[in-house]
């Protein structure tokens, strides 16, 4: 990490364009350093070094490594790197050099959602379907209502120009309703409760909640991107028909497919092509390529061995190499230089509102369904995990112009804080139960 940063600092302070005569060797070095490939490789080195170091550090404090990687990506932007070394940060992450980084990061998100869809094992709902439907949707309804009410308070100052209040309010409700299903799986595994009844219920509730939230996000995107109601209806109906075809027709065929060990390599290539085709179709339908990747994963979820192949071979590559680039791209968008004191108070209010809505909504529904109080509190804390799924949704909203720079930064901070709160909240609930 030190070498690329040192090069960036040197180049930022002594640009060769300001030197009257440059030796051929120095000019060749300059050309090599400023080529698109060299710049991209240096960006990749810096992002991975910082992300993995932060992930290791957070694991030492009992947090999932992904939280450290998320935070590290944010710190590479103007928040820290740009504040400490503005010249180096401006040179290394120059706007004209971010095209390749952005595309590769989007590929990482596509692969991540492909695996996330495959991990959405619908058979885990057997025997607890009714409970999961009740709790997951109650855990969405209350934070969604809180988000819509919050949108009324933010309407005058934070509704972007050209965006209808209904779209803004729906997105605010959705942004407070997300549960990070894949991150939740890792928290359950790290704490050794993935195989318990509470762990299985949490997975089922998060899976159903995420599926419902993504459906609502599709409606919002279709409404915002379409030129009129007719085009929005066409996008939604086309996406619905495509989703039905994938889940009702393709998923059962894949589930019945026999897979021998010697054919796993060819099967993996076919699955990756399926993810790309589905992503392209939903992109052409006017929704987003991410929905197609998630649907392709759901199509694979009924085949246990194919699901294992994706988790073993695709997930490590996506999470270890590609997703830190997405975190960095999010960090480069994060700006708090125009913040005022009331913005910090508003960020704290958003965190409190999101935690209250998700935790209380889940707790009330779980208690009404007969779950013991301590387990209901634990489930509420687990459902408050937002993580990477929240960042994906927020970046989509930012790209569509649904939220501005200041509100985007507040919601990103909310995603990090609520995810980091999960472990301490669970420990507090367990200590309270022991007393």
């Amino acid at each position: 990490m030190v070498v690329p940063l040192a090069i960036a600092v040197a180049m930022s302070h002594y640009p060769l364009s300001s030197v009257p005569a440059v030796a051929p060797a120095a000019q060749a070095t300059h050309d090599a350093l400023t080529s698109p490939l060299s710049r991209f490789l240096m960006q990749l080195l810096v992002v991975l070094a910082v992300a993995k170091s932060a992930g290791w550090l957070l694991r030492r404090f009992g947090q999932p490594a992904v939280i450290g990687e998320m935070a590290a990506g944010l710190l590479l932007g103007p928040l820290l790197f740009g504040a400490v070394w503005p010249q180096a940060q401006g040179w290394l992450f120059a706007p004209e050099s971010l095209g390749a980084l952005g595309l590769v990061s989007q590929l990482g998100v596509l692969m991540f959602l492909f695996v996330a869809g495959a991990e959405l094992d619908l058979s885990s709902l057997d025997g607890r379907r009714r409970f999961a439907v009740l709790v997951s949707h109650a855990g969405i309804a209350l934070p969604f209502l809180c988000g819509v009410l919050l949108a009324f308070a933010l309407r005058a100052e934070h509704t972007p120009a050209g965006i209808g209040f209904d779209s803004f309010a729906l997105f605010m409700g959705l942004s407070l309703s997300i549960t990070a299903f894949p991150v939740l799986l890792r928290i359950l595994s790290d704490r050794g409760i993935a195989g318990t009844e509470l762990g299985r219920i949490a997975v089922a509730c998060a899976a159903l909640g995420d599926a419902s939230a993504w459906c609502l996000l599709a409606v919002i995107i279709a409404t915002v991107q379409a030129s009129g109601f007719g085009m929005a209806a066409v996008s939604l109906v086309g996406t619905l028909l495509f989703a039905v075809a994938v889940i009702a027709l393709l998923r059962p065929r894949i589930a019945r497919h026999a897979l021998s060990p010697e054919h796993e390599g060819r099967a993996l290539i076919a699955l990756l092509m399926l993810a790309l085709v589905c992503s392209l179709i939903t992109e052409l339908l006017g929704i987003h390529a991410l929905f197609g990747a998630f649907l392709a994963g759901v199509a694979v979820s009924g085949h246990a061995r194919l699901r294992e192949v994706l988790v073993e071979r695709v997930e490590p590559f996506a999470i270890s190499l590609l997703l830190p680039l997405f975190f960095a791209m999010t960090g480069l968008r994060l700006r708090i230089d125009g913040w005022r004191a009331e913005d910090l108070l508003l960020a704290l209010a958003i965190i409190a509102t999101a935690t209250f809505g998700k935790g209380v909504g889940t707790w009330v529904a779980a208690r009404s369904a007969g779950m013991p109080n301590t387990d209901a509190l634990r489930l509420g804390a687990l459902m408050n995990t937002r993580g990477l799924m929240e960042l994906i949704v927020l970046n989509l909203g930012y790209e569509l112009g649904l939220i501005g720079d200041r509100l985007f930064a507040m919601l990103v901070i909310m995603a990090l804080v609520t995810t980091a709160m999960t472990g301490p909240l669970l420990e507090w609930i367990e200590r309270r139960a022991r007393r």
Side-chain angles (χ1 to χ4, degrees):
M1 180 180 73
V2 175
V3 174
L5 288 179
I7 294 173
V9 172
M11 293 297 296
S12 62
H13 282 293
Y14 304 104
L16 292 181
S17 59
S18 62
V19 181
V22 180
Q27 182 63 50
T29 302
H30 171 265
D31 293 340
L33 284 174
T34 55
S35 71
L37 179 59
S38 297
R39 188 85 62 98
F40 174 73
L41 292 176
M42 282 190 285
Q43 291 169 346
L44 187 60
L45 282 170
V46 170
V47 169
L48 290 178
V50 174
K52 298 308 172 184
S53 300
W56 174 84
L57 181 62
L58 263 289
R59 285 191 68 88
R60 303 275 292 183
F61 288 95
Q63 292 281 1
V66 67
I67 298 178
E69 294 178 6
M70 289 165 58
L74 304 184
L75 297 178
L76 285 172
L79 188 63
L80 180 64
F81 189 17
V84 176
W85 289 323
Q87 297 89 353
Q89 199 269 350
W91 182 86
L92 185 61
F93 296 107
E96 66 273 10
S97 71
L98 297 180
L101 192 69
L103 288 175
V104 176
S105 72
Q106 288 296 313
L107 178 62
V109 176
L110 285 176
M111 292 297 102
F112 173 80
L113 285 176
F114 181 37
V115 177
E119 290 181 320
L120 191 67
D121 186 8
L122 300 178
S123 63
S124 65
L125 300 179
D126 293 342
R128 54 182 69 88
R129 188 182 304 272
R130 185 175 179 181
F131 180 89
V133 169
L134 171 65
V135 175
S136 63
H137 287 86
I140 288 178
L142 184 57
F144 186 87
L145 177 61
C146 291
V148 171
L149 294 176
L150 189 62
F152 280 97
L154 302 176
R155 179 176 189 172
E157 191 171 358
H158 290 280
T159 303
I163 295 295
F165 176 70
D166 52 349
S167 298
F168 174 70
L170 287 174
F171 184 79
M172 282 300 300
L174 178 66
S175 66
L176 267 62
S177 307
I178 295 293
T179 294
F181 172 68
V183 175
L184 177 64
L185 290 177
R186 278 141 194 85
I187 291 176
L188 294 172
S189 178
D190 289 346
R191 301 187 71 86
I193 58 175
T196 65
E197 182 65 15
L198 175 64
R200 289 190 289 268
I201 289 174
V203 169
C205 292
L208 280 177
D210 267 6
S212 300
W214 279 93
C215 291
L216 180 58
L217 182 60
V219 173
I220 296 173
I221 291 177
T223 303
V224 172
Q225 292 198 141
S227 55
F229 177 78
M231 290 301 297
V234 169
S235 294
L236 287 173
V237 171
T239 304
L240 178 61
L241 293 175
F242 178 63
V244 169
V246 168
I247 296 173
L249 301 178
L250 184 58
R251 186 174 182 273
R253 293 193 64 180
I254 294 178
R256 293 192 300 266
H257 180 73
L259 180 65
S260 57
E262 61 269 18
H263 293 154
E264 286 184 357
R266 285 189 294 179
L268 179 61
I269 296 297
L271 292 178
L272 294 175
M273 292 181 67
L274 171 67
L276 295 177
V277 169
C278 291
S279 300
L280 178 60
I281 290 174
T282 54
E283 181 74 15
L284 295 176
L285 285 171
I287 302 297
H288 199 282
L290 299 180
F291 290 92
F294 187 77
L295 277 175
V298 174
V300 178
S301 63
H303 195 297
R305 182 52 198 156
L306 286 177
R307 189 167 63 241
E308 291 172 4
V309 169
L310 288 180
V311 171
E312 291 170 0
R313 301 193 186 185
V314 177
E315 187 178 48
F317 177 74
I319 289 180
S320 299
L321 182 64
L322 300 181
L323 280 184
L325 303 183
F326 172 74
F327 300 145
M329 291 298 296
T330 303
L332 293 173
R333 290 172 168 171
L334 193 70
R335 306 196 63 87
I336 62 171
D337 46 350
W339 271 33
R340 303 184 293 270
E342 54 266 31
D343 288 330
L344 179 59
L345 295 176
L346 180 56
L348 295 174
I350 291 174
I351 294 170
T353 304
T355 303
F356 170 83
K358 202 71 176 174
V360 172
T362 302
W363 175 77
V364 169
R367 288 291 290 147
S368 65
M371 178 176 274
N373 184 57
T374 300
D375 285 344
L377 288 171
R378 290 186 182 123
L379 187 60
L382 289 168
M383 292 299 102
N384 196 42
T385 303
R386 287 177 174 83
L388 176 56
M389 284 295 192
E390 177 77 5
L391 292 187
I392 293 173
V393 170
L394 294 179
N395 275 276
L396 282 175
Y398 185 83
E399 291 168 4
L400 294 171
L402 289 166
I403 50 177
D405 290 335
R406 288 164 58 204
L407 189 54
F408 174 73
M410 296 175 198
L411 292 172
V412 167
I413 293 171
M414 180 270 292
L416 282 175
V417 172
T418 53
T419 305
M421 284 169 58
T422 303
L425 271 177
L426 288 173
E427 291 171 3
W428 175 78
I429 293 168
E430 288 164 6
R431 287 197 302 269
R432 178 179 178 275
R434 285 194 296 269
R435 288 200 300 268

